[in-house]
Amino acid sequence: PYDGADNLRALVVADGLRVSLVSSNVPSAGDQIAFWPDDMNPKYLFVCGEETSDPSVVRVDLSKPAASNATTIVTGLSSCDPVRRTAWGTIIVGEEAGALGGLYELIDPVNIAAPIAVTNRAAGATTDPLHLVKRTAVGSLSWEGIALADDGTMIAADELAPSNGNAGGGLYKFVPAIPYTGNGPITVPAASPLAQGTVYGLRVAASGSSRYGQAAETGKGAWVAVDLTGAGVVDANGNIVLDTAQKLQKFTGYYRPEDMDVDPIAKADGVFRACWANTGRMSNNGGIVETS
């Protein structure tokens, strides 16, 4: 690994290509990135810091020098991983932090001047609830992949491996009670389509509606509404623990579902399609045999 002073030398590229430095003061374990205000001509980047709680989320101003263009806007998250820009003018970030990982939404993220602290992750308490709010309606999981439609419909992956005979991470769909219809950026948390809605788990059947379970990870599937009355599904803080729901309702599991995104070609045809990768086993009994 290169650890010298010149960050540009950390990458070796083919002849004819060149490397430029965007920022050198983001978190050392920066993970996913969202462009703002769009993908083609971004003015800012929003970056999750996966291995630090301070900072948890930084905003990078692309008009400033690389050594001084990152501003911390969120602290107190655990393993911040996915970050997405929404059609309604907000940024969402998720915690890859086991079954109780939360999804948070940043209102007017460009104008947040000082870091907002998450003071109680379980309860979703923050020091500025007008600009940073936990979205308990979408459920709690180990957040990794997110495919977000413009109306607020969301497909998400639970980044968990199989353990002790239990299935790996499931896939879930959130359908907003009040979909976003394109009437400009929201200014208050209650106006977000993520504020309320219904969560579904994916159950794939190999052949016929009853043939689901281990070895039936591909095939025709159905979205099954999460039963909120199940034992332990909703905790004392109102979090919907989707890992518990998966075990009770036998949603299909995968081996650590990873990064996910919307298929842009399908979207152009009016189809909401999510694509993702499964990490799989990194090694087999210590030998690199079944690399992911």
Side-chain angles (χ1 to χ4, degrees):
Y2 177 80
D3 60 358
D6 183 0
N7 290 282
L8 300 183
R9 296 183 61 190
L11 297 177
V12 178
V13 296
D15 291 343
L17 299 180
R18 64 183 179 87
V19 177
S20 60
L21 179 62
V22 174
S23 181
S24 59
N25 67 330
V26 295
S28 60
D31 205 289
Q32 297 183 41
I33 301 171
F35 293 165
W36 185 281
D38 55 50
D39 291 345
M40 299 306 296
N41 297 287
K43 296 180 179 180
Y44 299 94
L45 308 178
F46 290 88
V47 185
C48 264
E50 186 171 2
E51 295 179 2
T52 59
S53 61
D54 184 5
S56 292
V57 183
V58 298
R59 180 184 62 228
V60 176
D61 185 340
L62 297 177
S63 69
K64 295 182 177 180
S68 59
N69 61 0
T71 300
T72 298
I73 58 173
V74 178
T75 65
L77 296 178
S78 176
S79 301
C80 184
D81 193 328
V83 53
R84 297 288 188 274
R85 181 188 71 246
T86 73
W88 50 95
T90 67
I91 288 288
I92 58 173
V93 295
E95 299 178 300
E96 187 190 341
L100 292 179
L103 187 80
Y104 289 79
E105 186 165 23
L106 286 154
I107 314 298
D108 193 18
V110 170
N111 294 310
I112 294 174
I116 304 173
V118 178
T119 56
N120 186 319
R121 292 178 48 243
T126 76
T127 55
D128 185 351
L130 295 179
H131 292 93
L132 179 63
V133 59
K134 186 178 183 181
R135 291 307 184 192
T136 56
V138 304
S140 295
L141 48 81
S142 191
W143 289 91
E144 173 72 38
I146 296 175
L148 186 65
D150 290 344
D151 67 354
T153 301
M154 178 172 62
I155 295 176
D158 193 356
E159 205 267 302
L160 293 176
S163 176
N164 296 317
N166 294 314
L171 268 68
Y172 300 93
K173 180 171 72 169
F174 173 80
V175 178
I178 305 176
Y180 177 69
T181 56
N183 52 343
I186 68 168
T187 57
V188 294
S192 171
L194 303 181
Q196 53 183 321
T198 306
V199 186
Y200 300 82
L202 178 65
R203 185 188 288 162
V204 178
S207 177
S209 60
S210 64
R211 296 188 178 182
Y212 54 86
Q214 179 65 32
E217 288 85 9
T218 62
K220 189 173 183 179
W223 293 110
V224 180
V226 171
D227 181 3
L228 301 181
T229 66
V233 172
V234 180
D235 69 12
N237 290 295
N239 299 300
I240 304 170
V241 186
L242 294 177
D243 182 53
T244 300
Q246 179 194 31
K247 293 180 175 67
L248 293 175
Q249 295 182 260
K250 296 181 170 52
F251 298 140
T252 300
Y254 295 90
Y255 206 120
R256 296 185 62 219
E258 282 279 353
D259 297 304
M260 177 187 288
D261 212 336
V262 175
D263 179 346
I265 299 174
K267 182 179 180 180
D269 292 333
V271 176
F272 179 42
R273 175 181 293 153
C275 303
W276 83 96
N278 300 313
T279 303
R281 289 190 287 178
M282 298 298 292
S283 63
N284 184 18
N285 293 327
I288 305 299
V289 177
E290 297 181 2
T291 54
S292 59

